[in-house]
Amino acid sequence: MALRPMRVDWVASPPPGAYTQRRLGAPHRRYTGPPSYPVPPRWGFPLLAWRWPTSVATDDDRPVDTIDQAQRVARTASHALGLAALTALWAAGSEIWRYVLLLLSRFGTLSATTVGVSDAMVVSSSVVTFVACGMGLVFTLLWLRRARNAAATEAGYRPSRSDREVLISLVVPGVNLVVPGAVLAELEHAALRLPAETRPRPSKVVRWWWGLWVAMGLFFAFTVIWSFRSGVQALADGVLFHAVADLLAAAVAIATAVVVRHITALLLPVDAAAIRRLRVVDVKDAPTPTLRATRPSGSPR
């Protein structure tokens, strides 16, 4: 005879006395205040800082660019532009040394080591300058975007050109000599909290930057056109023109860093340079502070 498995249903029930049953007709106990604890309770919410939601945030919920963000990017852009200026000066020095070697070659043959070192310096300085200028341009454009948004928030009106139009204007030849100066003039106008109806008037710092920018663009185009000429004298003049172009690039990088710091200072509600920082040097005739009572290490807080 085969044995069949038995079906068993398990039922969980609380043990007797687990719950106190309330008697019918028993009066409610009066509220006597919040509970008291012999020691501070250690339960509660975790000590976490509030932050913007990033998992399901939409475009409307994302935080706008603030002045603090623009100030941080401005500091990074200034350092990158300073590095670009130093590398451009290095490239200009390499081109000048090559031009001096060309002048000396008229009176005798140069050693292969000297010519090789000169060629290595020209090539390496050109590559490093190109990378440094690219980094400076990227950080400057990032600062420009955040500064424009922060200035629009403070001034109460949007800029006349969108970010896409500004990027396109930097690529189109001829337009890239006019539009960047106008964009900085409008940004300075908004950073000063001036009304949108008035015409932007760029300051002396922006006008100097605009002039150097136009001069560098025109001279760079002239140098590129000159490089297609043939002849020994044309090649020698091309080396000198490259040195002048590198010097103009260094001047533009320094002027851009100055403009970035100038407009960022205008965005701040208070000029950081005008704040006098105080430092405690000495305390005299002060009452003795009350020290905290010593507490054993095992006692509850």
Side-chain angles (χ1 to χ4, degrees):
M1 183 176 179
L3 298 177
R4 297 181 179 180
M6 298 179 61
R7 182 176 179 181
V8 180
D9 295 334
W10 294 91
V11 178
S13 58
Y19 300 99
T20 58
Q21 297 183 358
R22 182 180 175 184
R23 294 178 300 175
L24 295 178
H28 295 277
R29 291 192 300 176
R30 297 176 57 186
Y31 176 72
T32 58
S36 59
Y37 303 94
V39 293
R42 300 186 180 276
W43 51 265
F45 295 102
L47 298 176
L48 298 177
W50 181 87
R51 63 179 182 179
W52 288 95
T54 56
S55 57
V56 293
T58 59
D59 294 336
D60 297 334
D61 297 333
R62 292 173 184 173
V64 296
D65 294 325
T66 60
I67 299 177
D68 294 336
Q69 294 176 351
Q71 186 179 12
R72 287 194 295 267
V73 180
R75 191 179 300 109
T76 306
S78 299
H79 295 164
L81 291 170
L83 178 62
L86 291 178
T87 55
L89 291 176
W90 176 30
S94 301
E95 295 290 349
I96 293 174
W97 187 25
R98 170 176 281 189
Y99 187 77
V100 172
L101 293 180
L102 290 176
L103 294 178
L104 294 177
S105 63
R106 298 171 57 186
F107 306 100
T109 305
L110 301 176
S111 64
T113 304
T114 304
V115 176
V117 171
S118 176
D119 293 339
M121 285 190 61
V122 170
V123 173
S124 59
S125 62
S126 300
V127 173
V128 174
T129 302
F130 180 78
V131 174
C133 291
M135 291 176 55
L137 179 62
V138 169
F139 284 113
T140 303
L141 291 178
L142 180 60
W143 166 83
L144 181 63
R145 177 180 177 274
R146 295 193 173 181
R148 278 159 53 91
N149 293 337
T153 303
E154 295 294 329
Y157 53 85
R158 303 297 300 174
S160 60
R161 296 176 180 85
S162 61
D163 296 338
R164 181 178 299 178
E165 293 176 354
V166 173
L167 290 177
I168 294 175
S169 65
L170 294 175
V171 181
V172 180
V175 180
N176 55 4
L177 301 179
V178 180
V179 175
V183 170
L184 287 181
E186 294 175 356
L187 175 58
E188 185 184 35
H189 185 83
L192 290 172
R193 281 79 170 176
L194 297 178
E197 294 79 13
T198 59
R199 183 182 179 86
R201 294 183 178 274
S203 62
K204 187 177 180 179
V205 176
V206 177
R207 290 199 303 267
W208 269 101
W209 178 89
W210 202 347
L212 288 174
W213 176 263
V214 173
M216 186 195 68
L218 295 177
F219 196 85
F220 179 78
F222 172 76
T223 305
V224 172
I225 296 174
W226 187 270
S227 62
F228 290 100
R229 299 187 60 181
S230 59
V232 179
Q233 187 61 38
L235 294 177
D237 294 340
V239 173
L240 188 60
F241 292 157
H242 277 87
V244 177
D246 292 333
L247 291 177
L248 285 175
V252 170
I254 296 174
T256 305
V258 173
V259 170
V260 167
R261 290 182 177 272
H262 167 68
I263 297 180
T264 306
L266 294 179
L267 287 173
L268 297 176
V270 179
D271 189 4
I275 300 176
R276 182 180 179 183
R277 298 184 178 181
L278 302 179
R279 183 169 59 94
V280 178
V281 179
D282 190 10
V283 179
K284 298 180 180 180
D285 300 333
T288 304
T290 304
L291 301 179
R292 296 178 58 183
T294 57
R295 181 179 58 86
S297 58
S299 62
R301 295 183 179 272

